[in-house]
């Protein structure tokens, strides 16, 4: 994602990464909390597809959007028997 520069009324400058369709004109300053305007600058488009930039993006993303395991782990050992047929008459057959 391209990197954009922002500057707040008190003069703080910071950078933030957004997709080109979702970049806001105003963003809250992380230092003073005022609305910071986006500055006209050159987004780092030439590096956007490189492996280094993908690594930087994923590292930044993992700081505030870590991958969270939401499902239970698969059971270890013997699992429930796999059903091979949907015929209800086969349910009455003896189990191996
Ligand atoms: Zn500020």
């Amino acid at each position: 994602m391209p990197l954009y520069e922002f500057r707040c009324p008190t003069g703080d400058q910071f950078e933030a990464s957004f997709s080109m369709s979702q970049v806001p004109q105003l963003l809250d300053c992380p230092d003073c909390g005022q609305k910071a305007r986006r500055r006209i600058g050159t987004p780092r488009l030439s590096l956007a597809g490189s492996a280094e930039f993908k690594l930087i993006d994923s590292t930044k993303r993992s700081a505030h959007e870590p991958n969270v395991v939401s499902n239970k782990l698969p059971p270890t050992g013997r699992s429930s028997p796999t059903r091979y047929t949907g015929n209800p008459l086969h349910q009455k057959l003896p189990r191996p």
Side-chain angles (χ1 to χ4, degrees):
M1 282 190 278
L3 202 60
Y4 295 93
E5 297 177 17
F6 291 87
R7 185 175 187 171
C8 75
T10 59
D12 299 322
Q13 293 185 19
F14 59 97
E15 295 176 330
S17 181
F18 291 97
S19 66
M20 291 174 70
S21 62
Q22 295 177 336
V23 60
Q25 290 297 319
L26 295 173
L27 192 66
D28 291 334
C29 175
D31 294 325
C32 63
Q34 297 185 41
K35 293 289 183 190
R37 297 184 127 258
R38 181 162 66 102
R39 299 184 67 201
I40 302 297
T42 55
R44 297 183 190 167
L45 293 176
S46 61
L47 298 175
S50 70
E52 295 89 2
F53 218 81
K54 285 179 184 173
L55 178 63
I56 292 171
D57 274 349
S58 68
T59 304
K60 281 185 180 177
R61 201 175 318 116
S62 69
H64 55 85
E65 297 174 16
N67 290 331
V68 177
V69 176
S70 58
N71 294 332
K72 291 192 297 185
L73 292 173
T76 58
R78 189 169 181 198
S79 61
S80 61
T82 307
R83 296 185 64 184
Y84 296 105
T85 176
N87 190 333
L89 294 176
H90 293 169
Q91 295 292 321
K92 297 180 180 177
L93 293 174
R95 300 273 175 221

